[in-house]
Amino acid sequence: YQRWLPLAFLVLTIVSGVIAATIQPNLALSWRDHRIALSVCLLAFTGCALGIAWVARRNGADDRIGFGLTLAMMLSGVVAVGLSFFPYVVPFRITLWQAASGPSTLVFLLIGALVVTPVILTYSAFAYRVFRGRTPAEGWY
């Protein structure tokens, strides 16, 4: 059963890409514009999926490897979706530049982000430091 899992996932990935390209003609045109980058994302996605299946089959494998591969797989999928619709914010109707606000609004938002982001990161680091080591590895029962 587990032997066929990587092959099944690879086939499902390819079939879903072909279905998406045939259903949405504008998406197929967008894919032609970003052919190389989307091919790299597809290879990364498929490679990570095969790696996850390989790690899952190994008994005693390090969970961090599977977690890292899962993060890489999700990141490659998000990048592929972003490239598929770039530069559109509303797919194939409103571009990023048409949806952007005026310069004064963007400067205001930038200043706000520069102030709030370090506060959030500092609080997250503090909370992690406070609760580090408090939860047993086997979890709560």
Side-chain angles (χ1 to χ4, degrees), residues 41-79:
C41 288
L42 180 63
L43 286 174
F45 189 88
T46 305
C48 289
L50 293 173
I52 291 167
W54 178 74
V55 168
R57 278 193 307 192
R58 291 181 50 202
N59 290 335
D62 192 5
D63 289 339
R64 291 178 288 186
I65 295 170
F67 182 70
L69 285 171
T70 303
L71 288 178
M73 187 171 93
M74 290 296 113
L75 180 65
S76 66
V78 168
V79 168

Side-chain angles (χ1 to χ4, degrees), residues 4 40 56 58 75 85 95 108 124 132:
W4 298 102
V40 169
R58 291 181 50 202
L75 180 65
F85 293 114
T95 65
F108 176 77
S124 297
R132 179 182 54 197

Side-chain angles (χ1 to χ4, degrees), residues 19-119:
I19 289 172
T22 55
I23 289 175
Q24 178 58 264
N26 289 335
L27 192 59
L29 294 174
S30 175
W31 285 3
R32 284 191 204 116
D33 294 340
H34 305 289
R35 183 175 298 151
I36 295 172
L38 286 170
S39 298
V40 169
C41 288
L42 180 63
L43 286 174
F45 189 88
T46 305
C48 289
L50 293 173
I52 291 167
W54 178 74
V55 168
R57 278 193 307 192
R58 291 181 50 202
N59 290 335
D62 192 5
D63 289 339
R64 291 178 288 186
I65 295 170
F67 182 70
L69 285 171
T70 303
L71 288 178
M73 187 171 93
M74 290 296 113
L75 180 65
S76 66
V78 168
V79 168
V81 168
L83 283 173
S84 295
F85 293 114
F86 184 78
Y88 294 98
V89 176
V90 176
F92 312 113
R93 294 217 167 43
I94 298 175
T95 65
L96 180 65
W97 297 276
Q98 292 170 337
S101 298
S104 60
T105 305
L106 294 176
V107 168
F108 176 77
L109 289 173
L110 177 64
I111 292 170
L114 290 174
V115 170
V116 172
T117 302
V119 172

